[in-house]
Amino acid sequence: MTDERGIPRREFLKSAVAIGGAAAFSACLGREEVAVPTGPDDLSSYPQRQHAWNEVLPRDDHGNVIAPHHRVLLYLNYRRDGQPNEDVRDQVETPLRGIEHAYERSGDGLLLTVSYSPAYFDRFDESLSEGVDLPDPEALAPFEDPEFDTPDAVVHLASNTAQVVLGAEEALKGNKSTLNGVDQPDAALTDVFSIADRRTGFIGDGLPAKNAGDAEGVPADKVPEDAPLFMGFKSGFKKNQASEDRVTIQSGPFAGGTTQHISKLRLNLNQWYNQDDRWQREAKMFCPYHAENDVIEEAGDNLGTSSKIDDCQPTDETAREMGVVGHSQKSARARDDDDSPLILRRDFDSTDDGAASLHFLALQRQITDFVDTREAMNGTDVTEQSAVGQRNNNGILQYIRTERRGNFLVPPRSLRALPPAQPAGDAQEVTHESS
């Protein structure tokens, strides 16, 4: 849909989120003809799991969760010296509750998480509670040299409605006295934190194609019109994702929380679309069997609830016989004893910095689960047994470059405002709230 100013509505909304600020928020209010319900006066019914999003998100015809279209990541540094006290924690919790009163907790409303880095917990005399696996970030492949994200905290804002993520951001910065008709508190997140970085993005059918022109080096005429991600294929199949139960910390003071890894990956889409044909893209993203047998239609909606990797040959056989191995084929090897994937992906594309990239956001019970998944994706064992290269014909490794990595703890909701390293009280056990 194009308005009287000649700018396609969805393209404008994505650009507004990327730009941010009060002017972009006001402009979105005029473009998005949607009334967003407010949140409840009493927030006590909200789940302890900050990451329990799936129950309030829409699903496609196959039952796969449809990810929120618009995203903002705010990287924050704690302004104060020493350890936080209860007064400072109230200064953080109050604006968070303010935006939750303003917007209902839903896909069209607002979903958010607050997470904390190992650097944040270094200020405490005590070590992080037993049962929480949160190492410093590190390079996870011999061919990568990323910078490491060490700000104290990250706020992840997500919604299908652009004005919601922008409005929430402005309120957290203390720039909105009223939001969605709801009075906002005087307290602002920026009273306690400084903003170290701001990253934005989008995911959803057609959004990458509509925004391909915003990034240098992207063959805009080649990105499929129906694809939810820049590389042209659907992801987030129900059976290829860990459940929210699987990624939840099960016991201890941080029970109900999870860990989060965020990578910034630069994409080489010119090579992906102009050097490789459709067969090669299917073989490298999924597996050669899928390419040989026309398993995938367009972006892959026909696959249902899984990428059907069980139909592929074993990875080592494929590598020896075909000289190429698929990304999904390799990654699927990282599973637990119950045959569940280890990570829950909530990643999204971006044109920040004028380049096509992917903010790969993964949730897992422990960071080790992400490391194991990445090790499977690297396919080092495959290269030792075949002609597959360290990056060439090795899934999609030759088309991505890891620029940044960061590890974070997403505590339970009751501890989301500047948690101590060793929360007081008895150890808790998790309750299963959603899937």
Side-chain angles (χ1 to χ4, degrees), residues 77-96:
N77 277 321
Y78 185 56
R79 290 181 182 272
R80 318 281 176 96
D81 294 328
Q83 301 179 13
N85 58 33
E86 289 307 310
D87 288 341
V88 181
R89 291 188 174 103
D90 286 342
Q91 287 182 277
V92 171
E93 180 65 19
T94 297
L96 293 171

Side-chain angles (χ1 to χ4, degrees), residues 206-239:
L207 285 176
K210 290 181 182 298
N211 296 292
D214 292 346
E216 183 179 352
V218 178
D221 59 329
K222 301 289 183 66
V223 179
E225 292 185 358
D226 64 335
L229 290 165
F230 267 135
M231 298 193 79
F233 296 108
K234 182 181 177 68
S235 67
F237 297 101
K238 183 177 180 179
K239 292 183 179 179

Side-chain angles (χ1 to χ4, degrees), residues 290-350:
H290 284 15
E292 289 279 294
N293 294 277
D294 297 323
V295 171
I296 306 159
E297 298 174 6
E298 298 181 333
D301 285 330
N302 67 297
L303 295 175
T305 58
S306 81
S307 54
K308 301 189 183 304
I309 293 305
D310 289 345
D311 294 341
C312 305
Q313 288 180 287
T315 305
D316 55 348
E317 291 181 20
T318 301
R320 288 194 300 269
E321 295 176 12
M322 304 296 293
V324 61
V325 67
H327 164 72
S328 297
Q329 186 178 21
K330 292 182 298 172
S331 300
R333 299 179 299 170
R335 290 179 172 263
D336 64 16
D337 293 340
D338 295 324
D339 201 34
S340 167
L342 304 180
I343 69 173
L344 172 57
R345 292 178 52 177
R346 287 190 170 145
D347 46 290
F348 52 94
D349 280 339
S350 178

Side-chain angles (χ1 to χ4, degrees), residues 166-211:
L166 288 172
E169 179 185 358
E170 288 303 294
L172 291 176
K173 293 189 294 186
N175 296 335
K176 298 296 293 180
S177 59
T178 302
L179 186 63
N180 200 27
V182 177
D183 290 340
Q184 293 297 288
D186 291 335
L189 212 60
T190 46
D191 294 338
V192 178
F193 292 104
S194 61
I195 298 177
D197 199 6
R198 179 181 187 271
R199 301 176 195 172
T200 71
F202 50 89
I203 183 173
D205 294 353
L207 285 176
K210 290 181 182 298
N211 296 292

Side-chain angles (χ1 to χ4, degrees), residues 50-73:
Q50 291 193 70
H51 61 285
W53 291 9
N54 289 353
E55 63 182 359
V56 293
L57 286 171
R59 298 186 181 243
D60 65 17
D61 293 340
H62 303 290
N64 300 307
V65 170
I66 301 175
H69 297 327
H70 302 289
R71 310 293 186 87
V72 172
L73 295 172

Side-chain angles (χ1 to χ4, degrees), residues 5-189:
R5 284 154 286 194
I7 303 174
R9 174 178 170 275
R10 296 180 80 185
E11 180 180 339
F12 170 84
L13 296 174
K14 174 262 158 191
S15 299
V17 172
I19 295 168
F25 171 60
S26 297
C28 280
L29 290 176
R31 297 291 188 100
E32 288 183 304
E33 299 175 358
V34 57
V36 182
T38 58
D41 293 332
D42 181 0
L43 300 173
S44 62
S45 64
Y46 278 19
Q48 272 293 298
R49 300 182 191 186
Q50 291 193 70
H51 61 285
W53 291 9
N54 289 353
E55 63 182 359
V56 293
L57 286 171
R59 298 186 181 243
D60 65 17
D61 293 340
H62 303 290
N64 300 307
V65 170
I66 301 175
H69 297 327
H70 302 289
R71 310 293 186 87
V72 172
L73 295 172
L74 294 177
Y75 286 72
L76 307 172
N77 277 321
Y78 185 56
R79 290 181 182 272
R80 318 281 176 96
D81 294 328
Q83 301 179 13
N85 58 33
E86 289 307 310
D87 288 341
V88 181
R89 291 188 174 103
D90 286 342
Q91 287 182 277
V92 171
E93 180 65 19
T94 297
L96 293 171
R97 286 178 172 267
I99 61 175
E100 290 177 322
H101 288 308
Y103 297 125
E104 75 169 6
R105 187 175 180 275
S106 70
D108 291 334
L110 178 67
L111 293 167
L112 70 99
T113 61
V114 187
S115 59
Y116 295 87
S117 69
Y120 164 79
F121 289 106
D122 285 344
R123 63 179 31 83
F124 295 96
D125 296 332
E126 307 90 350
S127 59
L128 193 56
S129 291
E130 186 176 349
V132 177
D133 173 41
L134 190 71
D136 291 328
E138 61 181 352
L140 296 179
F143 47 80
E144 71 175 34
D145 185 24
E147 295 185 50
F148 300 126
D149 286 319
T150 58
D152 291 311
V154 176
V155 174
H156 181 194
L157 303 172
S159 178
N160 290 325
T161 312
Q163 63 178 269
V164 168
V165 292
L166 288 172
E169 179 185 358
E170 288 303 294
L172 291 176
K173 293 189 294 186
N175 296 335
K176 298 296 293 180
S177 59
T178 302
L179 186 63
N180 200 27
V182 177
D183 290 340
Q184 293 297 288
D186 291 335
L189 212 60

Side-chain angles (χ1 to χ4, degrees), residues 378-424:
N378 287 342
T380 303
D381 57 323
V382 173
T383 67
E384 295 170 351
Q385 305 171 27
S386 69
V388 170
Q390 187 178 61
R391 297 182 70 186
N392 290 341
N393 294 321
N394 192 342
I396 58 173
L397 293 177
Q398 72 190 88
Y399 310 98
I400 62 175
R401 184 176 79 249
T402 305
E403 295 190 335
R404 309 196 69 91
R405 290 196 181 280
N407 294 333
F408 304 90
L409 170 65
V410 184
R413 178 183 171 83
S414 59
L415 293 170
R416 68 178 177 178
L418 298 170
Q422 293 276 353

